[in-house]
Amino acid sequence: MGLNCVRPVDPLCAVIPRNIGLDASLVRESGLPIIFLIGGPGAGKTTQCIRVAEHYGFCAIVSRELLRNEVSTGSQRGVILAYLISEGKLVPSDVMVELIKVRMLSSLSVSRGFLVSGFPREKIQCQHFNRQIRPPDLVLYLYVRNSLLMERVLARTITATERQERSIDENWRRIKDHSQMIKPVLRYYKKQLVVIDGERDETEVFQDICCAIDNVLMNFPSTSGRSS
């Protein structure tokens, strides 16, 4: 299963070290926009996140990269997360939000906003984020049919240099699980939600995303103007 996957909670989750006192008030007070970019496996989230973040001078926060970075530290938390990920078990929502919070705080002085890719994946993550940081200003959902997601995932696997980690059945189950769990997220953030046709050409998708962001940035004078 993939990073930040949705699977049964393991008892080890209770012993993951947490920084309970980590204060996100500086993020709330910064006045910087917070944008979520979500979509199924193969929807093109990471590609668009990096391109869009560079375009606006945003801090790109990719959830799976945060997890990989934590695992690579070899810390107690990293070791437990590595086990959970390898077993296809749920990474606790509060831990995921803490990793995002740390990334946001570390880039406050150099960022014009935050673009979070691949998060949230379930409703409880929305609730944790809203409480610990604040609600996002915009939620972009890259809609791609499940059948096309499967085609993209398989094509990516075939062309990737890394070994194939998932069978066709596992990939299909992962896609279907995501499509079910994202529905409550879309309802939860319905007021901030903009659905983007992720089946279009990559450049057209980028332009649609920028259009949605531009509409939101009108409410953020401090971020007016783009980096390029």
Side-chain angles (χ1 to χ4, degrees):
M1 277 294 160
L3 293 168
N4 197 19
C5 48
V6 180
R7 281 292 173 259
V9 175
D10 190 281
L12 270 176
C13 291
V15 299
I16 297 176
R18 292 162 167 86
N19 186 353
I20 299 176
L22 187 62
D23 187 5
S25 59
L26 289 177
V27 175
R28 289 191 293 271
E29 295 164 4
S30 69
L32 296 177
I34 298 175
I35 299 169
F36 290 162
L37 180 61
I38 56 179
K45 299 183 297 296
T46 302
T47 299
Q48 293 294 343
C49 179
I50 294 171
R51 184 176 179 183
V52 172
E54 182 179 359
H55 185 65
Y56 287 97
F58 290 164
C59 171
I61 303 175
V62 181
S63 59
R64 65 184 181 188
E65 289 182 2
L66 291 180
L67 291 170
R68 283 175 179 155
N69 290 342
E70 187 65 27
V71 167
S72 70
T73 65
S75 65
Q76 180 186 354
R77 179 162 66 177
V79 170
I80 297 174
L81 290 181
Y83 164 76
L84 294 175
I85 292 165
S86 66
E87 293 294 312
K89 295 179 179 178
L90 179 67
V91 172
S93 296
D94 63 325
V95 174
M96 194 69 235
V97 171
E98 183 182 319
L99 293 175
I100 294 173
K101 192 189 302 184
V102 169
R103 182 76 173 89
M104 286 179 159
L105 289 169
S106 69
S107 62
L108 265 178
S109 62
V110 295
S111 177
R112 302 170 91 177
F114 304 99
L115 183 59
V116 185
S117 170
F119 176 94
R121 296 196 179 193
E122 57 175 347
K123 184 177 177 180
I124 191 172
Q125 292 183 338
C126 306
Q127 296 166 334
H128 273 288
F129 189 93
N130 284 11
R131 283 198 303 267
Q132 294 189 35
I133 304 176
R134 71 168 179 79
D137 302 290
L138 176 65
V139 177
L140 298 165
Y141 175 50
L142 292 181
Y143 172 75
V144 179
R145 288 167 294 162
N146 285 353
S147 57
L148 182 54
L149 287 176
M150 188 63 179
E151 290 178 17
R152 290 182 178 181
V153 169
L154 291 178
R156 188 169 61 190
T157 300
I158 292 171
T159 57
T161 54
E162 59 192 45
R163 67 184 177 85
Q164 183 173 348
E165 296 181 349
R166 302 184 183 93
S167 69
I168 291 177
D169 287 343
E170 286 174 324
N171 275 314
W172 186 241
R173 184 169 59 249
R174 181 168 161 249
I175 289 169
K176 288 197 294 184
D177 283 351
H178 182 277
S179 67
Q180 287 301 312
M181 296 201 71
I182 204 66
K183 291 176 183 177
V185 173
L186 301 180
R187 288 194 294 268
Y188 190 85
Y189 284 133
K190 61 183 179 181
K191 292 183 179 179
Q192 298 104 315
L193 180 66
V194 173
V195 179
I196 303 292
D197 183 355
E199 299 185 4
R200 302 177 70 193
D201 176 78
E202 183 179 312
T203 299
E204 292 177 319
V205 173
F206 171 75
Q207 292 170 344
D208 288 346
I209 290 174
C210 289
C211 181
I213 292 176
D214 286 343
N215 287 336
V216 167
L217 290 187
M218 289 189 294
N219 299 318
F220 292 86
S222 61
T223 64
S224 61
R226 305 168 188 170
S227 62
S228 63

